[in-house]
Structure formats: structure tokens, C-alpha cells
Amino acid sequence: MLSGIKQKAIVGKNGKIELSATELAEGTVVEVIVLVETPTEEDETTYLLKSETNKKHLLTALENVEKRNLIYVDLDEYEKSCL
């Protein structure tokens, strides 16, 4: 009889892939097939970095975070002021 276990994994350093199958007894013979997921959508950051204007805004925002140049907004107080 054939059964299957499906897991997602991330390829690590030097192409290392780690899987954990605690439901399998030590010494069990298994066959492993690796299916590679190709990205179909780019993430938001990649998309935003395509525009020079957006790229400048994002990089400035990162610099501000690193410098702790932040503005704190108490949403509860803000909400009260809008009522």
C-alpha cells in the first residue's frame, strides 16, 4: 500500500532541505519527490521598487526606522478626536 505525506519546506544553505515526519518509524524506506514552486506573483516590495519614486519613498522610510525617527499615533485617541 502507498500513502503520502505532503509538506512545504524552504531550501537552506548549500541546497539543504529538512523534512520531519514523526509519524514514520525509524528505518522506514521512503521515496522523496521534490516539486519546485515557481513564483507566479511578485511580492509587494518588489513591485514597489520598480518605480523610482516609490523606491525613494521606501528607502527613506527604512532609513527613518533605522534612525528611530518615527511618529507614534495612538489610534484610540485619534479615533476619539474624529468623533
Side-chain angles (χ1 to χ4, degrees), residues 50-77:
K50 286 183 177 180
S51 157
E52 256 328 290
T53 304
N54 285 339
K55 184 177 182 177
K56 286 178 185 176
H57 285 296
L58 286 171
L59 293 176
T60 301
L62 283 172
E63 287 175 15
N64 284 330
V65 169
E66 289 171 356
K67 294 177 183 176
R68 312 281 297 159
N69 182 17
L70 306 171
I71 298 172
Y72 174 78
V73 177
D74 184 327
L75 294 178
D76 291 330
E77 290 298 320

Side-chain angles (χ1 to χ4, degrees), residues 6-50:
K6 182 177 179 181
Q7 293 183 19
K8 286 203 179 229
I10 297 174
V11 178
K13 190 174 183 179
N14 298 319
K16 185 175 183 178
I17 301 172
E18 290 188 41
L19 302 173
S20 177
T22 55
E23 64 273 24
L24 297 174
E26 186 175 329
T28 302
V29 177
V30 298
E31 185 173 337
V32 178
I33 298 172
V34 177
L35 304 172
V36 180
E37 196 174 283
T38 55
T40 54
E41 296 180 21
E42 56 191 0
D43 67 14
E44 293 174 29
T45 305
T46 303
Y47 173 77
L48 290 172
L49 288 174
K50 286 183 177 180

